[in-house]
Amino acid sequence: MIAPYNDAMGLKLHIVPDPVLRKVAAPVAGMDKDTARFMHEMLETMYENRGIGLAAPQVGELRRVIVMDVADEQKSGPALMMANPEILWRSEERFTYNEGCLSIPGQFAEVTRPKRLRAGFYDVGGKRREIEAEDLLSSCIQHEIDHLNGVLFVDYVSKLKRDMMLKRVAKTQARAAAEAAEPGGRVF
Ligand code: ZN
């Protein structure tokens, strides 16, 4: 049983090494108002943070929900909101993209994945749909579905590189926290 999403809380991005990012998300039982609103708020959070994709565990919710908009700034949309997404077919042909992740800020690495795929999902209206994707959208769908299974893009690089990237994030986060703790304003 998943607790209802608390609207008043807003959505907060969870950053590595938050353990929620390593858990397996539960399927959405059905499309209701709460889930639909949650999907819209995820999309908003994704745009606010200039991401092209976001999965529910990244905002601390273990539900199988992902949102995406891979269009560039010139041609925005259409946004994709998917519940219970699954990959039905993958091509043998591969595609490599320099991936980043809102939960691993500032870090990028080339990841090679199937170039084309077909995915099934439920849309925000609860309707079953299928989509074919290639290149960036294909990589993005795979990256987001990985999140629902506790997998991160750094899992595809060497342990040495992964540890280095995670250490850099930890350092940056610690510095930001220290700066936040010392506002440096007027002290009386
Ligand atoms: Zn990600």
Side-chain angles (χ1 to χ4, degrees), residues 174-187:
R175 200 181 305 137
E179 277 163 14
E182 281 176 53
R186 289 159 290 180
V187 181

Side-chain angles (χ1 to χ4, degrees), residues 53-55 58 99-104 143-144 147 151-153:
L54 186 67
Q58 293 181 276
E99 296 189 19
C101 180
L102 290 173
S103 295
I104 311 175
H143 176 122
E144 301 312 331
H147 272 301
V151 175
L152 302 172
F153 84 93

Side-chain angles (χ1 to χ4, degrees), residues 5-7 32-42:
Y5 166 64
N6 186 345
D7 192 28
D32 54 19
K33 263 192 186 163
D34 176 68
T35 307
R37 192 183 60 208
F38 174 60
M39 290 169 94
H40 283 287
E41 295 202 5
M42 274 181 61

Side-chain angles (χ1 to χ4, degrees), residues 11 39-49 54 67:
L11 298 183
M39 290 169 94
H40 283 287
E41 295 202 5
M42 274 181 61
L43 196 64
E44 226 170 86
T45 305
M46 182 194 84
Y47 285 131
E48 274 167 17
N49 289 281
L54 186 67
V67 298

Side-chain angles (χ1 to χ4, degrees), residues 2-137:
I2 296 162
Y5 166 64
N6 186 345
D7 192 28
M9 301 287 287
L11 298 183
K12 179 180 152 279
L13 275 180
H14 289 240
I15 309 292
V16 286
D18 192 317
V20 76
L21 296 169
R22 290 305 194 177
K23 298 211 167 110
V24 176
V28 172
M31 191 55 62
D32 54 19
K33 263 192 186 163
D34 176 68
T35 307
R37 192 183 60 208
F38 174 60
M39 290 169 94
H40 283 287
E41 295 202 5
M42 274 181 61
L43 196 64
E44 226 170 86
T45 305
M46 182 194 84
Y47 285 131
E48 274 167 17
N49 289 281
R50 297 180 159 275
I52 60 168
L54 186 67
Q58 293 181 276
V59 293
E61 294 274 330
L62 289 170
R63 312 184 192 197
R64 299 190 82 80
V65 169
I66 61 177
V67 298
M68 280 155 293
D69 183 349
V70 301
D72 56 32
E73 273 151 34
Q74 276 75 44
K75 45 182 178 90
S76 89
L80 278 167
M81 295 187 271
M82 304 182 177
N84 299 349
E86 49 177 343
I87 294 170
L88 306 170
W89 172 84
R90 304 164 164 83
S91 68
E92 292 291 324
E93 201 182 339
R94 307 273 138 171
F95 172 75
T96 300
Y97 191 78
N98 193 33
E99 296 189 19
C101 180
L102 290 173
S103 295
I104 311 175
Q107 305 303 308
F108 296 86
E110 290 203 334
V111 178
T112 299
R113 303 178 185 267
K115 180 180 170 70
R116 284 187 301 280
L117 60 78
R118 192 167 65 248
F121 64 97
Y122 289 89
D123 71 13
V124 74
K127 198 170 170 209
R128 175 81 187 170
R129 290 186 184 276
E130 281 189 17
I131 187 177
E132 293 205 1
E134 66 175 351
D135 297 342
L136 177 56
L137 182 57

